[in-house]
Amino acid sequence: MSSTTPAMVPVIDFSNQNLKPGSPEWDLVKSQVREALGEYGCFEALFDPILELRKAVFAALQEAFDLPLQTKKLKTLASFTQLASELQKKILEMILESFGLEKYMDELIDSASYQLRVMKYEKPKPNDSTHALAAHCDSNTMSLLYQNEVNGLQIQSKDGEWINMKPSPNSFIVLIGESLSVWLNGRLPSPPHRVMMKGNEDRYSLGLFTRPRGGYIVKVPNELVDDNNPILFKPHDYEEFLKFYYSEITQAAVKSGGYIAKLKAYCSV
Ligand SMILES: O=C(O)CCC(=O)C(=O)O
Ligand SMILES: [Fe+2]
């Protein structure tokens, strides 16, 4: 890539109404998803239906950080979660199909739990550090991020370069979390990312975070293990990892420099 072109992650369009499993449109988008995730563990997903909710969602967020949540705002956020989880399931299905692992779709959906998190990053004060969120990998399965017009998210490419994300109003940033990377025996990377704030405006973002439920044992499928691909990760209960990770001892380790890829450190063979 020439030094004058800023690095970008691929942009993939999910707005086509005909995006149904088995259709030529689905297979085309699926191959784009697989290629983008293999390289970056991340892509930008265009999804037009979100535009109808955009104004209401950020109005809700702005108020939510100031006032007790009103029923109307909760409904908006529930609609948001509905749309984002619909997109999340399509992407997961494409990933599984691209590895020939579609038979695991029901199991992964049944064992998933979804969390909507809303975030506010205040505009930096003069002389403030602009590191609003330190570099980390998401430990969960997959994260879909949606933000207002204030940029700041950066994704690290395989060669260590920090890529500035500039999502459109109709797009989500899709990130592979460590749990999916682990389940796929490392076939797709989980990218380090961080938030750097500059400028004069607050940043609001919403994340739909999917993770395995407690009690479900995350185990690399046999299909991904052979003589050339030894198993890299031990079976584990994600909830036990969270308990371990949030124990005081580990928190101290995290504060003193910590891990970027926490789940992989926990369950590596
Ligand atoms: O606000 C963002 O865009 C990123 C948030 C994030 O990385 C996280 O909550 O794990
Ligand atoms: Fe994150």
Side-chain angles (χ1 to χ4, degrees), residues 17 35 45 62 79 99 111 117 120 144 153 161 168 183 185 193 200 209 226 228 231 234 238 244 247-248 251 267:
Q17 296 296 321
E35 199 182 329
Q62 211 166 340
S79 306
F99 285 102
S111 62
R117 265 207 323 263
K120 177 180 181 181
L144 265 61
L153 178 65
E161 188 182 359
S168 316
W183 188 80
N185 207 25
H193 54 283
N200 221 352
F209 297 90
D226 57 31
N228 297 325
I231 190 156
K234 292 178 233 165
Y238 188 81
F244 169 79
S247 67
E248 280 171 39
Q251 280 299 308
C267 69

Side-chain angles (χ1 to χ4, degrees), residues 34-96:
R34 176 62 186 276
E35 199 182 329
L37 292 180
E39 185 58 29
Y40 295 96
C42 173
F43 60 88
E44 179 178 338
L46 298 178
F47 195 52
D48 286 344
I50 199 63
L51 283 174
E52 267 184 55
L53 282 176
R54 183 174 174 84
K55 259 178 84 174
V57 159
F58 290 109
L61 244 61
Q62 211 166 340
E63 280 189 29
F65 281 96
D66 300 335
L67 298 168
L69 267 185
Q70 312 284 314
T71 312
K72 182 168 160 234
K73 312 294 179 203
L74 287 172
K75 280 195 183 140
T76 299
L77 295 180
S79 306
F80 174 88
T81 303
Q82 173 73 30
L83 265 185
S85 61
E86 193 183 293
L87 178 61
Q88 196 273 344
K89 284 185 190 130
K90 281 190 180 144
I91 295 168
L92 180 63
E93 191 169 2
M94 286 179 180
I95 294 172
L96 295 187

Side-chain angles (χ1 to χ4, degrees), residues 55-235:
K55 259 178 84 174
V57 159
F58 290 109
L61 244 61
Q62 211 166 340
E63 280 189 29
F65 281 96
D66 300 335
L67 298 168
L69 267 185
Q70 312 284 314
T71 312
K72 182 168 160 234
K73 312 294 179 203
L74 287 172
K75 280 195 183 140
T76 299
L77 295 180
S79 306
F80 174 88
T81 303
Q82 173 73 30
L83 265 185
S85 61
E86 193 183 293
L87 178 61
Q88 196 273 344
K89 284 185 190 130
K90 281 190 180 144
I91 295 168
L92 180 63
E93 191 169 2
M94 286 179 180
I95 294 172
L96 295 187
E97 273 188 22
S98 79
F99 285 102
L101 296 172
E102 53 271 35
K103 72 171 194 202
Y104 292 97
M105 184 70 185
D106 290 344
E107 178 180 328
L108 292 191
I109 295 284
D110 291 345
S111 62
S113 110
Y114 300 86
Q115 184 190 36
L116 177 71
R117 265 207 323 263
V118 296
M119 291 152 284
K120 177 180 181 181
Y121 304 85
E122 308 238 346
K123 57 178 179 273
K125 298 191 177 67
N127 307 324
D128 230 19
S129 152
T130 54
H131 264 94
L133 184 60
H136 64 283
C137 297
D138 287 356
S139 307
N140 57 316
T141 320
M142 201 192 298
S143 307
L144 265 61
L145 300 168
Y146 189 65
Q147 64 164 66
N148 71 348
E149 69 287 355
V150 182
N151 293 324
L153 178 65
Q154 299 181 330
I155 308 283
Q156 195 171 36
S157 70
K158 282 180 183 166
D159 57 15
E161 188 182 359
W162 287 103
I163 303 173
N164 289 311
M165 303 302 285
K166 297 174 180 166
S168 316
N170 59 340
S171 66
F172 287 84
I173 301 300
V174 179
L175 293 173
I176 295 298
E178 286 189 89
S179 182
L180 185 54
S181 179
V182 160
W183 188 80
L184 289 169
N185 207 25
R187 296 287 213 288
L188 297 179
S190 167
H193 54 283
R194 66 185 184 189
V195 177
M196 304 283 281
M197 287 292 289
K198 56 175 188 239
N200 221 352
E201 278 175 282
D202 297 333
R203 176 168 186 269
Y204 291 92
S205 67
L206 304 95
L208 181 75
F209 297 90
T210 310
R211 71 166 182 90
R213 275 184 214 283
Y216 174 74
I217 302 300
V218 180
K219 181 179 170 296
V220 174
N222 294 335
E223 289 87 337
L224 295 179
V225 182
D226 57 31
D227 289 346
N228 297 325
N229 298 284
I231 190 156
L232 299 176
F233 304 103
K234 292 178 233 165

